[in-house]
Amino acid sequence: EAAGFSRQIILSFGFRIASILTSILATAINRQFAGTSDLTQIAPQAGFLFLLAAGLRLGVLPLNLPFLQEPSLRRGAGNIIRLAPVSASLSLLARLPEGIVTPNLTAWMPLFHGLLSIAALYAGFRWLLATETITGRPYWIITWAALAVASVLNGAPSASLAWGMALILPGSLLFLYYPRIQRMNFLLYFGLIGLIGLPFTPIASGWLGLMANGVNLWTFLYIFAHALLILGYLEFS
């Protein structure tokens, strides 16, 4: 057991270092093409590397579960510590330009969407089968993050904001509301309204990200992963 935990630490550290190095490389390229080192203006030539860095940090590109496993399952401040780096990565996704998929990367899009859909579906099923909200939290993060990254790949980075809001706001309501009080459980259904993505709700704009390139196989897989999240939320509610 100790050897297995040590292996998880090594893998987690490796993915963190890979994310940092990719981000540094992207920053250097952005400095060359955009003339700035901050995120106020990101050149398309550096956009995909920033996306890859965020995908590594979020654990979805590629799927890396050891990266998200927690030595202790905590609420309260632990939830903030857990979601803070996720929020930082999601804010980077929303700042990326629309044209990061250059012509030489177009042929790779089925591979990237395949990896993302596998991550979203696997994590969605694990979230649905989780026995507690805290044990399912890593899978909750992976699924929403996969939808956000998919929106960026489809050329709609602003739509990733919607999936980020769903991950953090209703998710925190579910993770922080403990112990449960029966007469107050109706509050969780307000979070559910925000998750479904009905028209005229903030999450509704997220669908534009998944369908920016038209309706295809990947769109249905992402929608199915979203349905798994909703079912899991209903079960915990």
Side-chain angles (χ1 to χ4, degrees), residues 10-20 56 62-64 67:
I10 294 172
L11 288 174
S12 175
F13 181 76
F15 279 112
R16 287 177 185 269
I17 293 298
S19 176
I20 292 172
L56 286 167
L63 176 64
N64 48 95
F67 183 80

Side-chain angles (χ1 to χ4, degrees), residues 181-197:
I181 302 174
Q182 186 65 32
R183 64 178 182 275
M184 300 294 291
N185 282 350
F186 71 93
L187 293 174
L188 293 173
Y189 293 102
F190 288 103
L192 180 64
I193 294 174
L195 291 177
I196 294 177

Side-chain angles (χ1 to χ4, degrees), residues 42-182:
I42 298 178
Q45 294 86 346
F48 189 79
L49 285 176
F50 277 121
L51 174 64
L52 184 59
L56 286 167
R57 188 67 181 86
L58 291 168
V60 297
L61 201 63
L63 176 64
N64 48 95
L65 292 176
F67 183 80
L68 295 177
Q69 290 180 357
E70 301 165 324
S72 59
L73 304 175
R74 297 170 295 175
R75 300 180 185 269
N79 189 65
I80 298 175
I81 293 172
R82 187 66 195 85
L83 293 182
V86 174
S87 303
S89 299
L90 291 171
S91 65
L92 172 60
L93 292 180
R95 290 176 176 268
L96 294 177
E98 295 183 359
I100 66 171
V101 180
T102 55
N104 60 321
L105 292 174
T106 304
W108 293 89
M109 286 302 102
L111 174 62
F112 293 131
H113 279 296
L115 292 174
L116 284 173
S117 59
I118 290 173
L121 291 172
Y122 175 78
F125 276 112
R126 292 297 300 267
W127 162 254
L128 182 62
L129 298 175
T131 56
E132 295 182 359
T133 56
I134 295 299
T135 56
R137 183 168 58 188
Y139 307 106
W140 170 271
I141 293 173
I142 287 178
T143 310
W144 288 115
L147 299 181
V149 174
S151 297
V152 178
L153 283 178
N154 286 335
S158 59
S160 66
L161 281 173
W163 305 123
M165 289 174 57
L167 189 162
I168 295 171
L169 298 181
S172 294
L173 175 64
L174 190 64
F175 301 136
L176 295 175
Y177 177 34
Y178 183 84
R180 298 291 177 84
I181 302 174
Q182 186 65 32

